[in-house]
Amino acid sequence: MTRVAAVDCGTNSIRLLVADADPETGELVDLDRRMTIVRLGQGVDRTGRLAPEALERTFAACREYAAAVKELGAQRLRFVATSASRDAENREEFVRGVLDILGVEPEVITGDQEAEFSFTGATKELTGRDDLARPYLVVDIGGGSTEFVVGDDRVRAARSVDVGCVRMTERHLVVDGKVADPPSEEQIAAMRADIEAALDLAERAVPLREAHTLVGLAGSVTTVSAIAQGLPEYDSAAIHHSRVSQDEVRAITERLLRSTHAERAAIGAMHPGRVDVIGAGALVLLAIMERTGAQEVVVSEHDILDGIAWSVA
């Protein structure tokens, strides 16, 4: 067993996994798995820069993670940064800060690399299951981008497009610095049109409709599953490999887009950092299911973070 640490820094959240990995058996045993909402991508779509307060929130989380990595004695650490830090003019400031705190330089990976890690993390433990037909379509709905990957044992085709729950919220649902509460039909329609255009782009590279099993990753998808199950609080064990029908996703999306901030915040399983962006994330998922004809989504708690861990095991 090799003790490894992986950090996935996205547009909305930063996550840590410290695990013992056995490449021979394909087993990854979690020792510490945590997530912090830092909103690193705050305003990036509008300004092209990482905001000072967003950087400080991210660095504060990195200090906590550095302590956990040291305490658990991970032999190797890999830090991967995704959409927001790809887009920012001042990303060198981010790189220097992470290097000072964690001792490793963040790798600002491409969308294709992101897709490969997501696919590995989501599907490695599905090998041998006869209730989930191949090929898989893995969709990782992040804050700034969504990755689409089709594959069997390995990736056949992948594409990253710039639609995510934070980017869509900031682009379409923010007026005078505040998120619409709730959004208008016109705002929802404009957001949906943007998502459909992104799906057109994805479909040029990835045969979305050829997949037999849709696997959904990341916080928007897992939160939709928690709501569908009526969980009083977030429960990873109940969410992992749960299945949510297209009809359930549609009903939940409509509910979220027509609710107020207070109503969404009152949902037991809702993370406070997702309250304002969950409607957009759910709409991305619904649009994908309608485009592909998927009647259900298999929800996975294992995603790009697990793929990063395997890459250093």
Side-chain angles (χ1 to χ4, degrees):
M1 301 283 271
T2 303
R3 184 158 295 184
V4 297
V7 177
D8 166 37
C9 185
T11 303
N12 195 44
S13 64
I14 183 170
R15 299 180 302 146
L16 169 71
L17 172 61
V18 182
D20 285 333
D22 187 342
E24 289 187 9
T25 64
E27 186 180 17
L28 195 66
V29 180
D30 291 10
L31 300 173
D32 191 341
R33 186 187 290 261
R34 64 176 83 177
M35 182 270 290
T36 311
I37 300 285
V38 294
R39 292 292 295 276
L40 178 62
Q42 172 193 332
V44 166
D45 197 47
R46 177 176 52 84
T47 67
R49 297 180 62 80
L50 298 168
E53 60 271 28
L55 284 168
E56 185 45 50
R57 289 193 298 266
T58 304
F59 294 154
C62 286
R63 293 182 193 103
E64 292 180 8
Y65 292 1
V69 170
K70 182 178 180 181
E71 181 181 345
L72 290 169
Q75 296 161 270
R76 302 174 189 167
L77 167 65
R78 189 171 190 178
F79 187 115
V80 165
T82 53
S83 182
S85 53
R86 273 203 304 267
D87 302 339
E89 294 172 4
N90 60 334
R91 64 186 182 185
E92 284 305 313
E93 186 178 348
F94 165 70
V95 170
R96 285 195 304 272
V98 171
L99 182 58
D100 287 345
I101 297 166
L102 282 161
V104 296
E105 192 167 312
E107 299 174 56
V108 183
I109 61 174
T110 67
D112 286 345
Q113 289 173 303
E114 195 172 341
E116 183 95 32
F117 286 145
S118 294
F119 186 82
T120 300
T123 64
K124 196 170 184 70
E125 63 186 346
L126 301 181
T127 302
R129 287 186 58 165
D130 55 12
D131 60 326
L132 298 176
R134 301 182 186 188
Y136 308 115
L137 169 60
V138 174
V139 293
D140 187 341
I141 303 172
S145 62
T146 295
E147 282 64 55
F148 297 84
V149 199
V150 166
D152 296 294
D153 294 326
R154 57 191 307 170
V155 173
R156 285 192 199 171
R159 179 68 190 264
S160 177
V161 294
D162 285 339
V163 290
C165 59
V166 174
R167 195 185 296 270
M168 290 297 95
T169 299
E170 291 189 347
R171 186 177 293 175
H172 297 289
L173 306 185
V174 174
V175 179
D176 297 327
K178 294 182 179 179
V179 177
D181 192 28
S184 67
E185 292 297 329
E186 291 77 12
Q187 288 173 310
I188 294 171
M191 184 164 59
R192 181 65 187 247
D194 216 357
I195 295 167
E196 293 293 344
L199 288 175
D200 290 341
L201 280 177
E203 205 160 16
R204 292 179 190 173
V206 180
L208 302 180
R209 302 169 208 248
E210 291 182 14
H212 295 304
T213 297
L214 174 65
V215 182
L217 317 181
S220 292
V221 180
T222 57
T223 301
V224 165
S225 172
I227 295 170
Q229 296 181 66
L231 299 179
E233 58 186 22
Y234 196 93
D235 182 346
S236 293
I239 291 167
H240 189 48
H241 289 173
S242 61
R243 303 186 188 199
V244 187
S245 72
Q246 185 183 127
D247 288 343
E248 288 175 308
V249 172
R250 183 176 296 105
I252 290 167
T253 302
E254 291 174 357
R255 169 188 167 189
L256 292 170
L257 289 173
R258 283 162 176 72
S259 62
T260 64
H261 176 96
E263 289 168 339
R264 294 190 300 277
I267 297 171
M270 184 73 67
H271 189 289
R274 296 204 188 280
V275 174
D276 286 333
V277 300
I278 185 61
L283 185 60
V284 173
L285 175 60
L286 177 62
I288 291 168
M289 296 183 78
E290 291 179 345
R291 174 69 67 99
T292 61
Q295 293 306 300
E296 69 173 13
V297 57
V298 177
V299 181
S300 178
E301 285 275 8
H302 293 181
D303 50 27
I304 186 174
L305 190 60
D306 301 76
I308 297 165
W310 278 117
S311 76
V312 294

